[in-house]
Amino acid sequence: MGNVITWWGHATCTVEDSGVRVLTDPLFARRLIHLRRRRGDVPPPEAAVADAVLVSHLHSDHLHLPSLAKLAPGTRLIVPRGARRAVPGLRRLDAVGRGGIGRGGVGRGGGLRITEVEPGDEVEIGPLWVRAVPACHDGRRLPVGPQRSPALGYVISGERRTYFAGDTGLFDEMADAVGTVDVALLPVGGWGPHLGHGHLNADRAAEALARLAPDAAVPVHYGTFWPIGMDGVRPHEFHSPGDEFVRQAARRAPGVAVHRLQHGESVRPGATL
């Protein structure tokens, strides 16, 4: 049957595989500090329904505490190593201390079941396995500060292998670290007029796609949030990355089926929904 990918905007996706729902970097907000949602509605309540949630790194547009608070009690939350230490608010959502420690060091109780991982770690979620892989990105909660956690991507293995890249730049070991995958969810833009080190634009994402060589890809992390008051500053960086990625991927990785989704749209890669 394969899997179903739903893109809710920014880096927030639902991956359904083998009857399990995995949610990535949930951001259920109309506004975040200096950013506002310019395209797509705030995801509906059903977007927060998940068996497990993956957080790629600690930046607040990826680890968003109000969005995590919308998850059902007992939901498994997988975060980078050191996240609870670096983000005090995360500890208030943790089931540890509410219901004690369950098997494998995972809390059980009224909160979320938080598991910290680093590259190479694997977590079993029913019939799925989730493996943390490296990402080339600043993993700190703030732009500066002593607390560091690794930025991660994840490979979700079930009926198909789905790579969620989180935020990352190109790095030499990417293909070896990720391994063979069927579907790649790749960031192709950002939330501002400039992309710094540790990000993929449409061109670099197409190069990553050529290296990874999956069967299918979905561009994410573009066309959702933009700084307030900067609507006229390099607007093509907001509107164009998805289409540009499709064009670049056709040239660099012609064997990969690229699905450019609208907000809230779903696709079953390899089939027609």
Side-chain angles (χ1 to χ4, degrees):
M1 293 181 61
N3 60 356
V4 177
I5 309 296
T6 303
W7 183 48
W8 302 109
H10 204 54
T12 306
C13 301
T14 295
V15 178
E16 298 179 67
D17 190 321
S18 305
V20 178
R21 289 173 59 94
V22 178
L23 179 66
T24 67
D25 287 353
L27 182 55
F28 307 139
R30 189 170 303 280
R31 178 172 174 173
L32 174 65
I33 313 174
H34 64 297
L35 307 177
R36 67 180 175 93
R37 185 180 289 263
R38 287 191 57 203
R39 183 182 290 172
D41 295 329
V42 174
E46 55 263 32
V49 177
D51 299 290
V53 176
L54 311 180
V55 169
S56 63
H57 62 289
L58 306 190
H59 294 172
S60 57
D61 58 323
H62 293 260
L63 195 165
H64 185 243
L65 291 170
S67 295
L68 295 179
K70 296 180 183 294
L71 302 173
T75 300
R76 173 71 66 86
L77 178 62
I78 300 174
V79 299
R81 182 76 64 190
R84 277 179 289 205
R85 180 189 67 239
V87 186
L90 193 59
R91 295 196 292 269
R92 293 192 289 271
L93 298 176
D94 196 345
V96 175
R98 301 188 186 197
I101 303 295
R103 295 179 60 186
V106 177
R108 295 187 298 180
L112 305 178
R113 299 188 299 146
I114 299 178
T115 301
E116 296 189 347
V117 295
E118 58 190 12
D121 288 346
E122 292 189 321
V123 179
E124 186 177 7
I125 305 170
L128 304 184
W129 283 92
V130 173
R131 175 169 54 91
V133 298
C136 178
H137 194 69
D138 187 343
R140 291 173 290 183
R141 177 62 168 174
L142 298 173
V144 295
Q147 302 288 4
R148 288 184 176 271
S149 290
L152 302 173
Y154 295 96
V155 176
I156 305 163
S157 297
E159 293 185 31
R160 307 200 80 190
R161 293 178 298 271
T162 301
Y163 169 47
F164 169 62
D167 250 358
T168 188
L170 280 172
F171 55 100
D172 291 341
E173 304 82 11
M174 175 180 275
D176 289 337
V178 173
T180 301
V181 293
D182 301 297
V183 184
L185 312 180
L186 293 177
V188 301
W191 51 253
H194 300 284
L195 285 174
H197 176 73
H199 293 87
L200 296 177
N201 61 10
D203 181 68
R204 293 191 293 272
E207 173 61 25
L209 193 65
R211 297 183 188 184
L212 296 168
D215 296 328
V218 176
V220 301
H221 204 280
Y222 77 100
T224 307
F225 289 92
W226 205 246
I228 295 169
M230 297 187 69
D231 292 11
V233 178
R234 297 176 64 84
H236 65 282
E237 295 286 358
F238 178 83
H239 292 286
S240 67
D243 289 335
E244 182 63 18
F245 174 70
V246 172
R247 288 192 292 270
Q248 292 285 350
R251 182 172 65 87
R252 298 191 182 201
V256 181
V258 177
H259 303 277
R260 191 181 71 81
L261 302 179
Q262 302 298 317
H263 291 76
E265 188 176 6
S266 300
V267 65
R268 189 189 302 274
T272 301
L273 288 180

